[in-house]
Amino acid sequence: MRWKKTGMLKGRAPRSVAAVCALVCLAFGGKAQAQGGEEVPSGGEYRVDAIVVEGLLRTRRSVIEQELLFGEGDRINQAQLDESVQRLRNTGLFRAVSVDVVDTTVAAVGGVNTHMEPGRLLRVRVDERWTLLPNFRFGRGGNDVELMVGLQDANLFGSYLQLGGSFHRLAGVNSYSLWFRDPRFLTRRQALFVEGSLGNRVDAVFDLEGNLTGGYSLSRRYFGSSMEREWRRWLKTGAYLSFSDDRFSYSRIGAARRDAQEARGGLPEAMRTLTLGVSTSFGRLDRDSYLRDGTLLTLRFNQSFHFGGEQGRSNRFEASLLKFWTLPWRSNVGVRAILGFSDVEAEHLQFSAGGLSGLRGTVNMRYRGQNYWLLNAEYRIPSLDHRWLVLQHVAFVDAVGVTPYPDQVFGATALTSGIGVRLLSPKIYGLIVRVDYAFPVAGADGPGLSFGAGQVF
């Protein structure tokens, strides 16, 4: 997709007298309207004489400009306008985006070309979200209690930079993290992400029948960075690098879990891991306030080098599919499907599912193995839909399959189903409170109540 930097400054006056006349026309109602993609009456291509942005309180005008596929003086068509509006919505910074188009006849100036041609004035209207907020989550899934407090801003200094940090307590242990993301690194359609954390968690090890077979405390120092580049609206590629330092102990481990772990051979050996990976994404998910629509397929492959332990190198491949449909009554159907293969022997680095964000109605990391698949499907429909508050009702199905044998990965290990509610604010970035109740269908430990913040996917 073509990227054009317009170079306009906030508050800049239109470049021609005709554009000022267009503003007068707009003030007196002489306009055609394109609300997020409706046809401009004249059709075909037209020149954009001026761009006016309304509704900005904190966000810089340059953020709007870098999402548009055109600038003042460019000739555009309806498809470019529709795509530009959708790109503004996909930033997540705005509750709503609309465009008014003024149709006026403009005299071209310069040289001997004094012919008449149609011109337009575009008025972009946005309704900003509040993006600077404390981050708080208190949840319970299975037997684990989770508390997270932090601060994040998805629009730092009004420039679409993102920064956040958090304190996280899960199952009685504390963790800390700090991250930064630039979705338009070097003013291009590429995203830079950097994260550092000091994590602590208590791991329980179960067999597939749900019997506790061991456990330990894991302390991890982690650093990771990734870069992703958009080549087309439907194609992205990325690369990432991470380093982790993992150490194990019996801190906060009960006697029964410790005895079971000793029977398995004791604590795992301390391990440092360097990981290099690449990714490719096909498709795109489009936003419209709290609704989603579209398809996104992401393929990831990485190779890890382990220092410590018995295995020196491992490989991992993961394919994830996200699919959303918008239905009548502003309802949404969403599906997440993940398929992963690896040859890693270190137990704490294997795929895992269960608990608050995987298989609801089970304990955290209940299912673990070298190969797995995970499926989450939800139907979401609102009973209250207000500018500041939305109440969604949810029906869901979760399923997982875990195995050490790649040729048996498609077997089902556990299945749950349930209902829930979502309380969210379209005007506040990322604010979603959820409550889910899951019923066991097969191979699960529930029923169980899960509540916390954020969507499952």
Side-chain angles (χ1 to χ4, degrees):
M1 183 64 66
R2 182 171 65 99
W3 169 263
K4 185 176 181 72
K5 184 176 180 181
T6 65
M8 295 183 292
L9 299 176
K10 186 173 183 179
R12 175 179 175 176
R15 292 188 300 187
S16 67
V17 175
V20 176
C21 295
L23 282 170
V24 175
C25 293
L26 182 62
F28 285 91
K31 64 181 180 180
Q33 196 172 60
Q35 297 289 347
E38 296 178 13
E39 284 295 327
V40 176
S42 62
E45 289 192 350
Y46 51 89
R47 189 183 64 246
V48 176
D49 291 304
I51 300 172
V52 176
V53 182
E54 296 181 356
L56 295 182
L57 300 175
R58 183 165 175 256
T59 304
R60 298 178 182 178
R61 177 176 170 133
S62 59
V63 173
I64 301 291
E65 295 169 357
Q66 68 185 2
E67 298 305 310
L68 301 179
L69 302 179
F70 52 84
E72 289 180 340
D74 288 349
R75 298 185 63 84
I76 70 168
N77 55 38
Q78 186 65 36
Q80 289 173 299
L81 179 60
D82 293 344
E83 175 65 10
S84 297
V85 170
Q86 189 59 62
R87 285 186 178 275
L88 286 171
R89 290 173 175 161
N90 289 348
T91 64
L93 302 180
F94 311 107
R95 184 193 68 87
V97 180
S98 63
V99 176
D100 295 330
V101 181
V102 174
D103 187 0
T104 182
T105 301
V106 181
V109 180
V112 297
N113 296 320
T114 57
H115 62 281
M116 304 293 286
E117 67 171 323
R120 301 289 189 277
L121 178 141
L122 263 58
R123 181 171 65 180
V124 181
R125 290 177 170 176
V126 297
D127 184 7
E128 278 189 295
R129 283 189 166 110
W130 182 255
T131 60
L132 174 62
L133 71 160
N135 202 354
F136 175 81
R137 180 165 73 232
F138 178 77
R140 184 180 183 92
N143 295 324
D144 294 327
V145 176
E146 179 184 29
L147 171 66
M148 190 272 285
V149 292
L151 183 68
Q152 67 176 30
D153 191 350
N155 193 17
L156 189 66
F157 308 124
S159 59
Y160 197 20
L161 299 174
Q162 301 174 351
L163 178 67
S166 67
F167 162 79
H168 188 205
R169 184 175 180 85
L170 177 63
V173 294
N174 301 330
S175 301
Y176 311 87
S177 68
L178 182 68
W179 57 267
F180 170 80
R181 184 171 184 264
D182 184 354
R184 294 291 179 258
F185 184 58
L186 299 178
T187 68
R188 298 179 179 271
R189 296 200 188 279
Q190 56 192 14
L192 172 68
F193 180 76
V194 180
E195 178 184 17
S197 65
L198 175 60
N200 296 279
R201 73 178 193 230
V202 174
D203 277 6
V205 182
F206 300 89
D207 60 23
L208 294 182
E209 287 71 38
N211 301 311
L212 182 68
T213 61
Y216 40 78
S217 291
L218 169 62
S219 177
R220 169 175 290 179
R221 293 177 175 84
Y222 174 85
F223 172 82
S225 181
S226 66
M227 176 78 75
E228 186 177 55
R229 177 68 184 269
E230 176 185 318
W231 302 99
R232 298 287 187 270
R233 66 175 299 277
W234 51 269
L235 176 63
K236 294 180 180 179
T237 58
Y240 53 94
L241 176 149
S242 68
F243 177 80
S244 62
D245 183 0
D246 297 331
R247 300 179 183 277
F248 306 88
S249 72
Y250 285 126
S251 175
R252 303 178 184 88
I253 298 297
R257 193 177 298 184
R258 177 172 183 166
D259 292 343
Q261 183 65 33
E262 284 296 315
R264 301 173 67 233
L267 291 172
E269 185 178 346
M271 176 179 291
R272 293 180 299 277
T273 301
L274 175 67
T275 298
L276 305 173
V278 294
S279 66
T280 303
S281 297
F282 303 93
R284 188 176 74 178
L285 296 180
D286 288 330
R287 299 185 181 208
D288 182 6
S289 186
Y290 59 87
L291 298 176
R292 303 289 184 269
D293 192 87
T295 304
L296 180 64
L297 172 65
T298 303
L299 307 177
R300 298 183 180 90
F301 174 79
N302 66 48
Q303 188 167 81
S304 296
F305 302 88
H306 308 287
F307 308 93
E310 297 180 359
Q311 186 174 3
R313 185 172 62 182
S314 65
N315 300 293
R316 178 179 178 129
F317 171 79
E318 189 173 50
S320 63
L321 175 68
L322 289 172
K323 175 66 178 178
F324 286 88
W325 297 266
T326 54
L327 301 178
W329 306 300
R330 290 188 67 77
S331 60
N332 239 172
V333 171
V335 175
R336 175 178 69 173
I338 304 175
L339 177 65
F341 300 92
S342 75
D343 59 4
V344 62
E345 297 174 0
E347 188 174 63
H348 68 288
L349 298 178
Q350 293 177 357
F351 296 112
S352 64
L356 299 171
S357 60
L359 193 76
R360 285 160 285 189
T362 63
V363 298
N364 190 47
M365 302 183 72
R366 164 69 171 78
Y367 307 95
R368 184 166 8 199
Q370 292 176 306
N371 311 284
Y372 92 128
W373 61 266
L374 175 68
L375 176 69
N376 305 110
E378 286 193 352
Y379 175 68
R380 308 164 183 167
I381 185 169
S383 60
L384 174 65
D385 189 351
H386 186 266
R387 180 186 181 193
W388 281 93
L389 185 65
V390 171
L391 177 64
Q392 282 183 319
H393 305 273
V394 176
F396 65 86
V397 175
D398 296 339
V400 67
V402 178
T403 177
Y405 310 107
D407 57 340
Q408 298 179 10
V409 70
F410 293 105
T413 303
L415 175 67
T416 64
S417 181
I419 56 176
V421 295
R422 304 285 185 272
L423 190 65
L424 57 98
S425 175
K427 280 286 290 180
I428 302 177
Y429 185 96
L431 181 60
I432 303 175
V433 178
R434 81 170 195 260
V435 179
D436 295 315
Y437 192 85
F439 302 90
V441 177
D445 305 317
L449 182 67
S450 299
F451 56 94
Q455 296 284 11
V456 174
F457 57 95

